Amino acid sequence: MTISLDLSTVPMPRSTAPGKPSLVGLSKPEIAARLVEAGIAERDAKMRATQLWNWIYVNGVTDFDGMTNIQKGVRAQLGENFQLDRPEIVSEQVSSDGTRKWLFRYRDPQNPRLPPVEIETVYIPEEDRGTLCVSSQVGCTLTCSFCHTGTQRLVRNLTAGEILGQILMARERLGDFPGGVRPDDGGLVPGGESRAITNVVMMGMGEPLYNYDNVKQALLIASDEAGISLSKRRITLSTSGVVPQIEPTGREIGVMLAISLHAVRNDLRDMLVPINKKYPLEELLAACRNFPGLSNARRITFEYVMLKDINDSDADAKELVRLLANIPAKINLIPFNPWPGTNYDCSSSARIERFADIVNRAGYASPVRTPRGRDIFAACGQLKSETERLRKTERDALTA
Ligand code: SF4
């Protein structure tokens, strides 16, 4: 089932005039500094930053006029100088299994004359949790051969505000802000009083550790207790293996780590996850062993896509167990989700079961991830947008 969205019903930020800087994605001290630059008294700036933080992240307000505990004059001053950017929704699709996918569009914050870019964000609801799969880049520099995003050249990194914008817009659509209403369109939202979005995974388009500073800022804001307040244990950052950034991820961001492993031999991983040529398995696993805070309560998830006759033999399963010895780990077996033009097939159910059995018997939890949202191309490894990188001459002409 595909919902074609009536955009007139979607709450949109009103203050989207190009050129005004957005306050979304700035830290509290950064907001306070911007306020002082805009003429707000220095003695009030910290308090105003705290008020704004609450309005933006707790209440989901997109318009300064709605900030009722701020005097009218100050609200007008804020509106003249800033905006509270969120992405535009180009489309929203709901899968027959309740998974929801958005195509979001962003204007370039530095230069609104550049063509907008588009990315995909996916919401995966279950009985007791709702996971938002967030993108970090438009396209990807890496070319993992089983991944659809890998066929789209990197256009640019998303800013911290654009990464957070996906969470804010999804919360808005799912009725997760105070006074919000759950959608009534066939999509699932977990029951009871729980939030619609309980978990965030940085597993959408792009390699998050190649956009480290923006991802770090966005995740620190998303986990701030006075804001969106997602527990760091409910945020997972997934990397294809950018080894030098793994230790800082644990130390500076403190979220859970997932590794796109997919092969247990360097020759095969060089082909499936080409960053392996730069950071081979030995270096990757050493970085995992040294991941700050690693313990049985804070395990690393290893993702392993099941590709027929490529990486799914008994010998592969046994080698996987050997490689991960002494690393507190979970292994996520992902049935391959096909996309147009791929040469890979998914392993048979019997093969996946047999593989899981070997890994389970070695003491590792190895759930097989049920494919979600395949009918709307929202499943793992299927995301892609039409945005193309401009040639340098085209870009220069627009930015001149
Ligand atoms: S798996 Fe991740 S890192 Fe690899 S091409 Fe796809 S988006 Fe990029």
Side-chain angles (χ1 to χ4, degrees), residues 158-178:
L158 293 178
T159 65
E162 289 169 337
I163 294 167
L164 283 162
Q166 298 168 64
I167 303 177
L168 294 174
M169 208 55 184
R171 292 194 76 197
E172 181 82 57
R173 292 292 301 148
L174 297 167
D176 234 359
F177 285 120

Side-chain angles (χ1 to χ4, degrees), residues 137 139-151 203-208 238-240 260 262 272-274 381:
Q137 298 182 306
C140 191
T141 40
L142 301 177
T143 49
C144 304
S145 55
F146 58 88
C147 170
H148 200 199
T149 311
T151 64
M203 289 184 192
M205 293 165 58
E207 165 52 65
S238 172
T239 178
S240 57
S260 289
H262 310 309
L272 295 177
V273 190

Side-chain angles (χ1 to χ4, degrees), residues 28-29 31-53 69-71 73-75 77-78:
K28 263 190 238 176
I31 294 178
R34 296 288 193 289
L35 297 184
V36 172
E37 284 163 22
I40 304 257
E42 203 157 353
R43 63 176 184 282
D44 294 339
K46 205 169 155 197
M47 177 262 295
R48 294 282 179 231
T50 304
Q51 287 175 318
L52 283 162
W53 195 266
N69 62 351
I70 300 179
Q71 295 100 310
V74 178
R75 294 195 318 237
Q77 204 177 353
L78 291 169

Side-chain angles (χ1 to χ4, degrees), residues 175-191:
D176 234 359
F177 285 120
V181 182
R182 299 276 191 244
D184 181 19
D185 53 15
L188 280 176
V189 177

